[in-house]
Every structure is written in C-alpha cells, then in structure tokens.
Amino acid sequence: MSASPPLPLPLLKRIPPGLWTALAWYAAAVEPIVEYVVMPQAPTYSLNYPQDGLDSLGAQALLAVAFVLILAGSAVLRRRTSAAYGLVIVATVISTVAWRQDEIPPTQFLAVDIALCYLAATRPRRSSLTAAAAALGILAGYLVLRLITGDDSSIAQEPLVALSVVIAWLIGNSSHQARVHTAELHARAAAEAVTAERLRIAREMHDTVAHSIGIIALQAGAAARVIETQPARAREAMLTVEMAGRETLSGLRRMLGALRQADHDEERQSAHAPGSLRPAAGLANVEQLAATTTAAGVRVEVRWQGRRRPLPADIDVAAFRIVQESVTNAVRHSGADSCQVRLDYRADELSVEVSDRGKGGGTSTDTGYGLIGMRERAALLHGDFTAGSRPGGGFLVAARLPVPAETAAEAKAGA
C-alpha cells in the first residue's frame, strides 16, 4: 500500500516570513505617499505625515534607502535572522527621519513586530530577548526625545507599539517552545524505540537459549544413561549437544552484534535499526524445531491448516517464537512425552496452538519470562494470547495474530 501524499501547508504558512515583513512595511510606507504626495492636497492634515514631508531631495533619498534596506532585510530573514531584523529596524527609523516624524507610526512598526516574531520562533531566547529590548529601547528613545523637546501635540503612541512588540515576542516564543517540545518528544520516542528493540532482542535471547539448554539437558541425560550399554546412541546424543551448543553460541554472537550495532546507530535508530535487528527466524523452521525436539525424546506433531502463505516478518517471527517457547516449556516442565502444534492460516489472522498432556505448571526455577514474552509479542501485534491448564489435563498455549489487510486480501484472491 502506497503512503498517502502529505497534505499541503495552508497558504499563510507557505508565504515566507520575509515576504510578510516586506508586504507589511511597504503597505505602511506606500499608503501615506499616495495619500499625501501623489493625490491632490486635501483640507485635512496628518501629524505623522506632513504635506511637504518629502519635498526635499534628501528626504526622498532617505526614504529610498529605507526601501532598499527593507528589501535586503526581508530577503535574508531566513538565513541571517538577527542581521535582517536589524535592517528592518534601521529602515523603519530612517523612514521617520525622511518624513521628519518625532515618533514611529504603529502601522510602520508592524513589520518590525513580524520580524521579531519570526526571530523569537527560530532563535534562542537570549537572542530574541535582546531583539525585543532593542525595539523597546528605540520606542523609549522616541518618547524621551519628545519629552525633552516639549512636544505634547499628540497622544503618545509608544505604549501601544510597545505592547505590540511584547505580543509579537510572546507569540514567537510560544512557537519556539512548541518546536523544542516536539523535538524532545521525537527524541524520547527514538530512545523508547531503542529500548523496545533491545527488549525484543532479550526475549529472542531467552527463547533461543532456553530451548537449546532444554535440548542439551535432555540429550546429556540420555547419553549419561546409555553411555555404557549403548555407546553409539550416547555418541549421537553428545553430537546433538555439541551442535545445539554451537548453534546457540552463534545466535548469541549475532544478537550481541546487533546490540553493538544499535549502539553505533542510536542517533539514526528510528530509520535503520529495526531492519538490522530483525531476527532470522520464522515458521519455516517449525519442522526443524519439531525434528530436533523429537530426537531429544519429546515427540512434536505439527499440523498445518489453511493455505500456507508468506506472512509479514514480525508476524512470522512472533508465531515461531511462541511455538518455540511453548515447546520448550513442554519439554522442561510438562513431563509429557509428546505435544501438538497447530498452525491455522485464516483469512484475517494466524492461529497458533501448542498443547500437551503433561502435568502442566512450572518449576521453582521458572522465572515466567517465557509466558510474559509470548504475551508481549502477541500484544505488540494487537493479537490475543492465552495460556493455562486444560480441563482434561495438560497445558494449552493459544495465540491469535491478526494478518494485515493487504496479506488477507492476497489470501482471499488466491483461495
């Protein structure tokens, strides 16, 4: 099944922050030029924009410089945020000098607020606080200058503009904190994935070693009983012990190597480690498991039902490990001379049952990790697991592992 394409970002998020800054500043700068310079003079007047404010060539040159600085600052806002923010502030101050203003109009300062919001969202808190303090310091300077000159012809707008600066910083800082928190959650999820993978490897280690040790114990005991009367059988049993020991050591080396590889790749674990740590086991090894256990003295009968088909690797491995652990428990704890394994391939699930007619229960040395591991394997795959004594005697382990929809559909098509 192909992954669905990512949803497009909303229009407001697709527009770069530099473009928002430029649009806000140019809109605030062009509007008074059109109203007080281009359009015919009206009987009304503005304290912020005098009618003859741009009559001199010097004023026009200063305003042109401000336009260029804003354009440059907006273009590099993503790459050099602090420098671009400084250009926006300088351009805003120059525009007031060109108009011979003694304060910065709130609309003209909106571009500074946008740039500050972006800076607070992307830069460390110390940098954003410094930027906000610079903006507030400029506003305070205008207010002090007007108080010194004794100009009280209008209501001071600096408190309102300062409030917009604080709001812009709060919005940007909240966005920054949200991004940091999201990054921490991703890092924590990656660490938990590493831990979960190592727990799975520990279960694989337990399953493999417990089964092999059970076989080795049975074969060694058989060899000890017949070593004097049937040396050939004793030799055969000891060869089986040797083979099981070598296979166990080989498996341990592979798993320990996977653990070391996980240490090396921990930073990129979420993308690569699951594949590298996947154990090489599956239901294809059930017949070999049955033959090895039968040779050790406990006959294992395997019954296949339904149409056998390839399964996803996690389901295949989990089913085999459940069978292996159940057979191992039957060998070690049941006291029975045989057990039955039933594997039923259904349309939407795989049913696994392992039963015996033994005495059931564990021994005083049984840690219980085997049943816990099987239950966790089934739970990880959203399946069901039960284990307990049978009414007629013996022990039954049953698991149902759901098969993904794609595999189920292929099974129906091939039926």
Side-chain angles (χ1 to χ4, degrees):
M1 180 182 295
S2 60
S4 57
L7 296 175
L9 291 173
L11 177 61
L12 295 180
K13 291 186 177 181
R14 280 184 284 172
I15 298 178
L19 182 56
W20 280 118
T21 302
L23 288 176
W25 197 92
Y26 279 111
V30 170
E31 188 275 332
I33 296 176
V34 173
E35 183 175 357
Y36 299 110
V37 177
V38 178
M39 298 295 291
Q41 295 187 0
T44 58
Y45 67 94
S46 170
L47 295 176
N48 286 330
Y49 302 99
Q51 293 284 359
D52 57 349
L54 297 180
D55 286 352
S56 65
L57 291 178
Q60 297 173 13
L62 284 175
L63 192 59
V65 171
F67 272 82
V68 172
L69 291 178
I70 281 293
L71 186 61
S74 301
V76 299
L77 186 59
R78 280 187 182 274
R79 300 189 302 272
R80 303 182 62 182
T81 306
S82 298
Y85 176 75
L87 291 177
V88 173
I89 289 184
V90 171
T92 304
V93 173
I94 291 178
S95 68
T96 63
V97 176
W99 279 102
R100 291 181 292 173
Q101 295 167 329
D102 56 4
E103 63 181 356
I104 302 178
T107 54
Q108 197 70 50
F109 213 78
L110 181 60
V112 178
D113 293 339
I114 295 175
L116 175 62
C117 182
Y118 178 74
L119 190 148
T122 56
R123 303 290 294 172
R125 179 174 294 184
R126 178 177 298 180
S127 299
S128 64
L129 285 174
T130 302
L136 295 175
I138 290 174
L139 294 174
Y142 273 94
L143 181 60
V144 170
L145 180 62
R146 223 174 34 257
L147 293 176
I148 293 176
T149 58
D151 185 2
D152 57 353
S153 57
S154 62
I155 299 176
Q157 301 185 71
E158 282 78 11
L160 174 62
V161 181
L163 179 61
S164 71
V165 171
V166 174
I167 293 175
W169 183 87
L170 289 175
I171 294 174
N173 185 64
S174 298
S175 177
H176 179 76
Q177 290 180 334
R179 293 173 62 181
V180 171
H181 180 65
T182 301
E184 291 177 352
L185 290 180
H186 284 309
R188 188 180 305 169
E192 290 176 354
V194 171
T195 302
E197 193 64 31
R198 291 179 176 181
L199 287 175
R200 282 192 287 272
I201 291 178
R203 288 196 295 269
E204 296 291 342
M205 223 179 260
H206 169 270
D207 295 343
T208 301
V209 173
H211 175 73
S212 299
I213 293 301
I215 298 299
I216 290 173
L218 282 174
Q219 294 286 11
R225 288 193 296 271
V226 301
I227 190 170
E228 295 181 356
T229 59
Q230 302 180 41
R233 286 194 60 186
R235 175 183 175 82
E236 181 181 350
M238 294 310 296
L239 288 176
T240 303
V241 169
E242 180 186 7
M243 182 178 64
R246 291 183 182 276
E247 290 180 352
T248 302
L249 288 176
S250 178
L252 286 175
R253 290 192 187 100
R254 286 195 301 269
M255 292 178 186
L256 291 175
L259 282 174
R260 294 190 184 98
Q261 184 65 29
D263 286 334
H264 294 319
D265 297 342
E266 190 163 340
E267 292 183 358
R268 54 183 186 277
Q269 176 274 340
S270 59
H272 301 288
S276 64
L277 300 180
R278 187 177 294 118
L283 293 178
N285 298 323
V286 168
E287 297 289 355
Q288 179 183 356
L289 171 68
T292 304
T293 307
T294 300
V298 177
R299 184 171 57 87
V300 178
E301 179 184 356
V302 182
R303 296 181 180 179
W304 302 88
Q305 297 180 354
R307 189 180 68 85
R308 293 177 64 177
R309 60 187 185 275
L311 296 172
D314 51 353
I315 297 177
D316 194 35
V317 171
F320 174 75
R321 291 310 186 192
I322 289 174
V323 172
Q324 183 186 49
E325 180 66 26
S326 301
V327 171
T328 299
N329 287 342
V331 170
R332 296 174 60 188
H333 306 310
S334 70
D337 58 359
S338 67
C339 67
Q340 293 77 40
V341 176
R342 187 175 68 86
L343 298 167
D344 187 1
Y345 287 77
R346 300 173 183 173
D348 56 350
E349 68 179 16
L350 174 68
S351 175
V352 180
E353 290 186 1
V354 181
S355 59
D356 61 71
R357 292 288 182 179
K359 61 183 180 182
T363 67
S364 59
T365 60
D366 183 18
T367 62
Y369 289 144
L371 293 179
I372 293 176
M374 289 188 283
R375 183 173 288 107
E376 288 178 355
R377 289 181 185 277
L380 286 173
L381 298 174
H382 306 286
D384 296 328
F385 176 83
T386 57
S389 301
R390 302 172 63 182
F395 200 81
L396 172 65
V397 174
R400 292 190 301 107
L401 306 178
V403 177
E406 304 88 18
T407 309
E410 293 173 2
K412 293 180 180 178

